[in-house]
Amino acid sequence: MSNDTQTPAAASTDGFHLVIDALKLNGINTIYGLPGIPITDLTRKAQAEGLRVISFRHEQNAGNAAAIAGFITQKPGVCLTVSAPGFLNGLTALANATTNCFPMILISGSSEREIVDLQQGDYEEMDQLAIAKPLCKAAFRVLHADDIGVGIARAIRSAVSGRPGGVYLDLPAKLFSQSMDAAAGKASLIKVVDAAPRQLPAPDSVQRALDLIKGAKRPLILLGKGAAYAQADADIRALVEKTGIPYLPMSMAKGLLPDTHEQSAAAARSYVLPAADVVVLIGARLNWLLSHGKGKTWGGKDAKTWGGQKFVQIDISPTEADSNVAIDAPLVGDIGSCVSALLAGIGSGWTKPSAEWLGAIAERKNKNLAKMAETLAKDPAPMNFHSALNVVRDIIKANPDAMLVNEGANALDFTRSIVDMYKPRKRLDVGTWGIMGIGMGFAVAAAVETGHPVIAIEGDSAFGFSGMEVETICRYNLPVCVVIMNNNGVYKGTDVNPRGGDVAPTVFVKGARYDMLMQAFGGVGVNAATPAELRRAMEEAIKSRKPTLINAVIDETAGTESGRITSLNPTAGKK
């Protein structure tokens, strides 16, 4: 009797598949990254297993895409990079995500620990975990395949819980080829439950805030991008409308209520900030974007004083209170729960702000809007920022679901003040740091995550940081329309080198045809020298959903030094 029957080998899995399975188990279905050693096979296998892998030309742009995907979805966006230089390229986006409270996970391959620790000169050797730690919310390293599930679970929970931010996950090359029993591998994976649990505000803090608001004579609500991220849109709108308090949106909070809402005080910003006596901060921080709550912006005598406003601050982090000025009524908890608690406490006997306060705002608002309308009605030749952005304003009004990405100096400032938004989380821009280079990464992710058309309004300088990603836009056939405000330079194209020779540092090639860059990759390129040409090109781009780049030629004298932050440049205007 033969005894050569063999027992089937037990099924096994490896580090590659455990990473993929852990991501899929937690509803992460898109990876932004750039393939290379040691993660090329991971991108191939991830795509084969049904994940969407969006491959970029530079890791910083992939990281920016992952970061803004986190803002849009409330799930951590994942960026995958190679080791050392690739990791460092992604690190800028990770740090920016943490600063802006965008949930993101940067996963990078790395050299083996035993070689790195002895500094023996491995390929792209670097102690990546140590470098990442100071720049992100949390950092983890996984050395064994059976810990992959724990590592990814911890990264997800860290990225989205409390104040969201960036997380680094270090995966040494040797981890991917480690194998283990398939059943044991499956059992080692963790599905994260309630990753960002509600954090309810204390009842006494709610009452303190209500008492302060009820006693205000000139109240103001200030909405930050945290309010947009919270997706508590209905309650935030109800709070604004039920109280009758005027509101001021920060740039990425535009659209939480339509910018055309009668209670919007955006057109009277310079009046309401120093004049308000009680300011309710919802998901906004008193950082440099709000002059730290001090100085003449707030009615103070100088940069170190403030105008005596009392503040209610809604924030999930208790340490945010008193970071610049005293916070009289800190309301600590998630924004949805805090706003809901305020709504419940308002009751039916609420007295809306005085006609005097509302009338004073309306007077200044209407005056400024009329002045803006007069400026926008002009049709100078060549175009300037106002005449070009008047077209963009109309296009967004006709297509309120479109995503607007915006970066630059003047291109950012003018777009923010001219182009109205009508729906939440439709405006994506440079955020807290005000950094350039987010444009194409944000545009790609906005298209991938929402499926809606994307309009990217770019300064010609800002576009240079990520412009090569137009190939990525064409490769994935994304409905992105890039509009470059081309005035031949940084701020403007008129600077001159007083010694002759090289052009001034702020001047670019005159008459550059950025539209031809998009044409090179099979997209649509249009050179627009008039508002009518710009309008036709944008309308066709929205209709066709084809990758499009419009070179909007504007007056090279248009623009000012550093946009609206000239004061931060100590030599601005000096000759």
Side-chain angles (χ1 to χ4, degrees):
M1 183 176 180
S2 174
N3 194 29
D4 58 1
T5 303
Q6 296 182 354
T7 304
S12 64
T13 188
D14 59 22
F16 288 112
H17 289 92
L18 288 170
V19 171
I20 295 165
D21 291 344
L23 293 175
K24 291 172 66 175
L25 181 65
N26 285 285
I28 294 174
N29 50 28
T30 303
I31 294 175
Y32 301 93
L34 197 154
I37 296 172
I39 50 90
T40 307
D41 282 346
L42 179 59
T43 63
R44 293 185 179 119
K45 294 176 188 292
Q47 189 177 61
E49 293 293 326
L51 290 178
R52 190 170 191 192
V53 180
I54 305 297
S55 179
F56 284 72
R57 304 299 292 266
H58 194 283
E59 291 92 349
Q60 183 173 315
N61 304 320
N64 284 327
I68 208 64
F71 172 78
I72 293 169
T73 66
Q74 291 188 321
K75 296 191 301 184
V78 172
C79 175
L80 182 64
T81 81
V82 301
S83 50
F87 154 77
L88 291 174
N89 288 341
L91 196 58
T92 299
L94 184 69
N96 190 50
T98 303
T99 299
N100 281 284
C101 307
F102 299 153
M104 169 192 171
I105 302 173
L106 175 65
I107 301 177
S108 295
S110 65
S111 298
E112 309 309 335
R113 290 304 314 159
E114 59 270 25
I115 300 177
V116 172
D117 290 344
L118 284 173
Q119 299 178 21
Q120 294 179 313
D122 200 12
Y123 172 74
E124 296 187 345
E125 174 184 295
M126 178 178 285
D127 192 351
Q128 295 169 197
L129 189 75
I131 293 170
K133 277 184 177 180
L135 299 173
C136 59
K137 187 180 175 187
F140 306 100
R141 177 184 290 122
V142 180
L143 295 177
H144 304 290
D146 55 359
D147 288 329
I148 287 173
V150 172
I152 288 178
R154 296 204 69 189
I156 291 171
R157 194 175 291 279
S158 297
V160 300
S161 62
R163 172 170 283 180
V167 175
Y168 175 61
L169 188 61
D170 190 276
L171 303 182
K174 193 162 58 178
L175 175 74
F176 296 116
S177 60
Q178 289 182 23
S179 62
M180 62 182 297
D181 176 76
K186 183 177 181 180
S188 73
L189 303 182
I190 296 174
K191 182 175 176 61
V192 178
V193 177
D194 200 11
R198 294 175 63 200
Q199 296 188 28
L200 304 181
D204 59 336
S205 66
V206 175
Q207 190 57 52
R208 184 187 304 117
L210 286 168
D211 290 344
L212 190 59
I213 298 168
K214 288 177 181 177
K217 294 181 179 179
R218 299 180 305 280
L220 176 69
I221 292 174
L222 206 157
L223 302 172
K225 68 176 176 292
Y229 173 80
Q231 299 191 18
D233 309 336
D235 278 353
I236 289 173
R237 180 164 188 158
L239 180 68
V240 170
E241 294 181 339
K242 191 171 182 179
T243 61
I245 297 174
Y247 72 94
L248 185 65
M250 300 299 286
S251 61
M252 283 181 63
K254 285 166 64 71
L256 267 172
L257 289 85
D259 284 338
T260 52
H261 194 284
E262 63 179 359
Q263 287 175 245
S264 172
R269 176 189 173 107
S270 61
Y271 171 71
V272 294
L273 288 179
D277 62 349
V278 173
V279 180
V280 182
L281 301 167
I282 304 180
R285 293 176 285 187
L286 287 173
N287 55 23
W288 73 277
L289 291 165
L290 287 167
S291 302
H292 306 284
K294 304 173 186 177
K296 294 180 180 179
T297 298
W298 293 90
K301 295 179 181 179
D302 54 48
K304 295 182 179 180
T305 62
W306 57 97
Q309 290 86 357
K310 293 186 180 296
F311 290 96
V312 176
Q313 184 165 20
I314 298 176
D315 201 286
I316 203 163
S317 174
T319 58
E320 182 61 37
D322 310 322
S323 58
N324 276 294
V325 299
I327 301 300
D328 304 271
L331 199 54
V332 178
D334 69 275
I335 287 173
S337 296
C338 291
V339 171
S340 177
L342 289 178
L343 266 176
I346 286 174
S348 58
W350 181 267
T351 301
K352 293 193 174 184
S354 68
E356 180 182 4
W357 173 233
L358 298 180
I361 295 173
E363 178 184 352
R364 288 161 177 82
K365 175 180 172 180
N366 292 336
K367 180 181 178 180
N368 290 336
L369 288 175
K371 186 177 180 180
M372 175 66 77
E374 182 179 336
T375 301
L376 295 178
K378 296 177 181 178
D379 187 15
M383 288 190 293
N384 60 17
F385 284 103
H386 285 89
S387 59
L389 289 170
N390 189 39
V391 174
V392 179
R393 174 188 173 103
D394 291 343
I395 296 292
I396 291 293
K397 184 176 182 179
N399 301 274
D401 283 322
M403 305 293 293
L404 178 66
V405 174
N406 188 202
E407 66 173 335
N410 293 280
L412 175 75
D413 293 330
F414 284 120
T415 303
R416 182 171 50 213
S417 60
I418 292 172
V419 178
D420 290 329
M421 305 305 296
Y422 300 89
K423 294 187 177 183
R425 292 169 298 282
K426 296 297 183 181
R427 180 183 167 82
L428 312 173
D429 65 30
V430 299
T432 304
W433 266 354
I435 64 167
M436 299 299 104
I438 54 89
M440 298 302 97
F442 278 21
V444 168
V448 168
E449 299 294 340
T450 71
H452 293 305
V454 178
I455 298 170
I457 305 300
E458 300 275 312
D460 51 350
S461 175
F463 176 73
F465 288 81
S466 63
M468 195 62 186
E469 300 301 343
V470 296
E471 189 273 335
T472 305
I473 292 169
C474 290
R475 190 176 356 129
Y476 294 100
N477 194 30
L478 298 174
V480 175
C481 174
V482 181
V483 179
I484 297 178
M485 298 293 172
N486 185 1
N487 62 351
N488 293 333
V490 181
Y491 312 130
K492 47 189 174 181
T494 55
D495 280 3
V496 176
N497 181 350
R499 298 178 64 88
D502 292 340
V503 299
T506 58
V507 173
F508 297 151
V509 171
K510 302 287 186 179
R513 292 290 302 275
Y514 293 100
D515 51 304
M516 298 179 74
L517 180 63
M518 183 66 94
Q519 291 176 0
F521 298 112
V524 176
V526 179
N527 190 58
T530 67
E533 292 173 349
L534 177 59
R535 189 179 302 272
R536 281 197 298 271
M538 292 190 71
E539 288 176 344
E540 178 57 29
I542 295 291
K543 180 181 177 181
S544 70
R545 295 176 62 88
K546 293 179 180 178
T548 301
L549 191 151
I550 303 169
N551 185 53
V553 181
I554 63 174
D555 186 349
E556 73 171 2
T557 67
T560 60
E561 177 85 2
S562 303
R564 291 187 183 175
I565 57 173
T566 303
S567 61
L568 301 182
N569 182 356
T571 60
K574 295 182 179 180
K575 301 296 183 182

